Amino acid sequence: MATTTPPRRAALERILLPLAVAALLVGLWLLAVRLTHSKIFPAPLAVLRGVHELWRKGLLLRYAGASLLRVAAGYSLAVLVGVPLGLGMGVWRALGVMLDPLVQALRAISPIAWIPIAIVLFGVRDQATVFLIFLAAVFPVVLSAQSAARAVPLVYLRAGRNLGLNRAQLVLRVLLPATLPELLSGLRIALGV
């Protein structure tokens, strides 16, 4: 017979266990800095002082906003490119056969490995960061959209055609609603990446 944890104890565990792990990691971080006498890697207190200094100067929110803007731009571009491309690759087999090897080869390259190319193409500017975020997010989006489109039963598409839907209507009224659950899951994964 399985025993259940009382609700209050479960709530405490959900709070205290992650805090204990975080405290352990911060302690290991501090220990590593002290044992190595690192001048490059800062101690946790130095990081907090730096964050406080940025806050005091009024720069913390500006820097955080700029970072979020770059993430939003790169992710949005990945969605705008990846969803139509993935849906197209999933619906039209010829497009999938043509582009799948290229997508698979490029997705295997770490976004960090693209940094020199990004610097050559865009210099050390925001566009390089947006490009790298785009590359990190676009492949999970393409693959989830492709998989979702391939999972749509063919009878749905045939029924839409029989009802007189043109290609654009078929995509908007049949394909997108049918793929939405798997597509949203892929978008969430891409945002995490």
Side-chain angles (χ1 to χ4, degrees):
M1 175 182 253
T3 60
T4 59
T5 308
R8 184 177 172 138
R9 182 174 172 201
L12 281 173
E13 286 177 356
R14 279 196 309 270
I15 294 169
L16 293 179
L17 289 177
L19 284 176
V21 170
L24 177 67
L25 290 175
V26 170
L28 290 173
W29 172 10
L30 179 62
L31 184 65
V33 170
R34 287 197 176 160
L35 288 176
T36 60
H37 305 291
S38 176
K39 301 292 183 201
I40 298 171
F41 200 70
L45 194 55
V47 171
L48 285 177
R49 280 191 212 114
V51 168
H52 179 264
E53 182 70 17
L54 288 174
W55 179 264
R56 191 179 59 74
K57 290 181 178 179
L59 297 173
L60 184 64
L61 292 179
R62 194 171 100 201
Y63 289 169
S67 292
L68 288 174
L69 187 63
R70 288 189 290 267
V71 169
Y75 181 74
S76 298
L77 283 172
V79 170
L80 289 173
V81 170
V83 169
L85 182 63
L87 291 177
M89 288 171 62
V91 172
W92 295 288
R93 297 289 180 189
L95 185 63
V97 168
M98 285 187 325
L99 295 181
D100 196 51
L102 179 65
V103 168
Q104 295 299 336
L106 291 177
R107 97 179 164 96
I109 301 170
S110 168
I112 293 172
W114 288 95
I115 290 174
I117 294 170
I119 291 172
V120 167
L121 290 175
F122 303 105
V124 185
R125 295 194 312 253
D126 285 348
Q127 292 88 340
T129 307
V130 169
F131 174 72
L132 293 170
I133 293 167
F134 166 80
L135 283 175
V138 74
F139 297 115
V141 171
V142 168
L143 294 176
S144 70
Q146 180 184 21
S147 173
R150 286 184 179 168
V152 173
L154 194 56
V155 69
Y156 291 3
L157 299 172
R158 286 182 181 156
R161 284 190 197 108
N162 287 341
L163 291 171
L165 297 178
N166 62 31
R167 243 180 236 254
Q169 291 171 326
L170 198 61
V171 168
L172 291 175
R173 293 186 180 177
V174 177
L175 190 62
L176 274 178
T179 60
L180 202 55
E182 190 172 342
L183 193 57
L184 288 175
S185 178
L187 293 177
R188 195 194 71 207
I189 290 168
L191 185 60
V193 171

